[in-house]
Amino acid sequence: MTTKPTAAPTRFLTGITTTGTPHLGNYVGSIRPSVAASTGVGAESFYFLADYHALIKCDEPARIQRSTLEIAASWLAAGLDPDRVTFYRQSDVPEIPELTWLLTCVTAKGVLNRAHAYKASVDKNTAAGSDPDADVSAGLFMYPVLMGADILMFKAHQVPVGRDQIQHIEMARDMAQRFNHLYGEHFVLPQALIEESVALLPGTDGRKMSKSYDNTIPLFSPRDQLKKLINGIVTDSRAPGESKEAEGSALFQIYQAFASEDETAALRRAYVDGIAWGEAKQLLFERIDREVAPMRERYQSLISNPAKIEAILQTGAEKARQLATPFMRELRHAVGLRGLGVTAATSIGKAAKVALPSFKQYREADGKFHFKLVDVQGRMLLQSRGFDSPKDAAQAIALLQTQGAAALPSVEAKLATLEDVGSEEIHTALQALVASRA
Ligand code: TRP
């Protein structure tokens, strides 16, 4: 196998906390746009069930398990293709809590004091005259660090989240920067991706659809229940025949999130013409059901086969760990959690703290000159074919050292890689070498 240097695709990663049952708001705001994005070319998507995060909010084991099943089934029913993306459960990747500890040690406690979720609890307690930390678990306090590990582990570039999560992504960037400064360039700095066009869906009472307001419509309610819930959406008291306002109408906003522009325009006219609320609700019901019905069928068949979902998640975890395991090995080494037989870099000064991959030249029995690239643990990443002279080999090395992965195409024919080494690791190693010379 030879290396195929290609531009690194943009990596998207997002997590879904496993505490509830997916509702229409989750579908419109997260599931539908994510599934659509995951089918784009040049993207590499990671979706995971954040069940460690769920433990922070929920101490009911059966609910965590049920929610994990329902959320996984919902994403798959909505068209997420586990062969195209990496779809896994957070707790199946033990490297994530391991990384959490390394990040904990580079995160200032004062920064966590300012995290919105923690601060909100403290403010509430203070206002009530209680101890500021009453009922605050250390898990809630550490929430942003676990989330940082989720993101940094997979070198995500873009993290699609709601506005309330922006601060967490900024914290993850800070952790990455601090770690990179101390131990060398290991982490990619992530960015929050906020979908401006995605509407916040109102719930049945007109406030934002949210489990905490108890105003949700479950995505896969059976038809008759869906109908009942839609009939419960609040409206004003205008009678049939009376003109109605589309602005501020929860019913209208929900319709808009599912309908085409033409359909939306038609309903807007019907409002003006005095459509009866009962009739408008019937339209909304039919429109949602049209989109949801085929998914509902897939959902039912998935949910009645948990073993199949489990198998999909296990495959996803394996895929995720193919990245996480070697990366964690690299990070452990970087911070000094090393086998005692491994020699540390010997020179003095800041740069010496960063162990680097290296090139080794040698001559084979056939008289040809070879070189290999070995990582800090001495593992071979790349091996050259034979060169006729040591000078030719040295030239190829110099190119790789100065241009990094960009030089791979010009020396490609001279290289062989080892089967179990990913091209990403090779790119990372070369990048570290180039950076060290800059
Ligand atoms: N905190 C996110 C939420 O409540 C869920 C989450 C956990 C997450 N880890 C993540 C989102 C990593 C994006 C990336 O919505």
Side-chain angles (χ1 to χ4, degrees), residues 231 235-244 251 267 269-284:
N231 282 333
T235 53
D236 60 28
S237 56
R238 280 176 226 206
E242 257 186 274
S243 173
K244 299 177 173 61
L251 200 156
L267 184 64
R269 279 194 302 276
Y271 264 55
V272 175
D273 294 345
I275 187 174
W277 285 126
E279 208 183 315
K281 284 175 175 174
Q282 182 63 26
L283 275 179
L284 175 61

Side-chain angles (χ1 to χ4, degrees), residues 118 121-122 125 130-137 141:
Y118 170 68
S121 296
V122 169
N125 284 330
S130 321
D131 181 281
D133 280 333
D135 293 327
V136 175
S137 71
F141 188 67

Side-chain angles (χ1 to χ4, degrees), residues 242-265:
E242 257 186 274
S243 173
K244 299 177 173 61
E245 296 272 346
E247 269 11 276
S249 160
L251 200 156
F252 187 83
Q253 277 174 273
I254 300 174
Y255 187 80
Q256 192 168 23
F258 287 86
S260 69
E261 275 182 36
D262 287 351
E263 291 168 321
T264 304

Side-chain angles (χ1 to χ4, degrees), residues 46-116:
F46 291 69
Y47 297 103
F48 69 95
L49 302 153
D51 54 349
Y52 279 134
H53 277 102
L55 295 181
I56 295 170
K57 299 190 218 168
C58 175
D59 59 9
E60 297 163 56
R63 197 166 124 210
I64 302 258
Q65 185 190 23
R66 179 72 195 171
S67 172
T68 303
L69 175 68
E70 289 179 350
I71 294 176
S74 299
W75 282 73
L76 295 168
L80 191 75
D81 179 354
D83 290 333
R84 287 192 68 136
V85 305
T86 307
F87 184 52
Y88 57 100
R89 172 168 50 200
Q90 186 185 32
S91 66
D92 284 335
V93 184
E95 288 83 1
I96 292 171
E98 193 175 356
L99 176 56
T100 300
W101 182 252
L102 299 195
L103 297 178
T104 301
C105 296
V106 298
T107 303
K109 176 173 175 290
V111 168
L112 297 179
N113 287 340
R114 292 190 284 277
H116 298 319

Side-chain angles (χ1 to χ4, degrees), residues 367-383:
K368 300 258 189 200
F369 297 87
H370 299 251
F371 65 82
K372 56 190 183 181
L373 173 64
V374 297
D375 72 7
V376 288
Q377 288 101 317
R379 208 163 48 110
M380 183 151 45
L381 298 176
L382 262 183
Q383 192 174 21

Side-chain angles (χ1 to χ4, degrees), residues 32 90 110 116 174 192 195 225 240-241 253 303 352 381 404 421 426:
R32 192 173 61 185
Q90 186 185 32
H116 298 319
D174 288 348
E195 262 287 4
Q225 198 200 335
Q253 277 174 273
I303 210 112
L381 298 176
V421 177
I426 296 167

Side-chain angles (χ1 to χ4, degrees), residues 13-17 48 50 53 57 90 143 146-148 150-151 159-162 164-165 168-169:
L13 175 144
T14 202
I16 310 101
T17 309
F48 69 95
H53 277 102
K57 299 190 218 168
Q90 186 185 32
Y143 188 108
L146 178 57
M147 186 159 159
D150 290 332
I151 297 167
V159 186
V161 283
D164 59 325
Q165 299 292 318
H168 291 147
I169 314 298

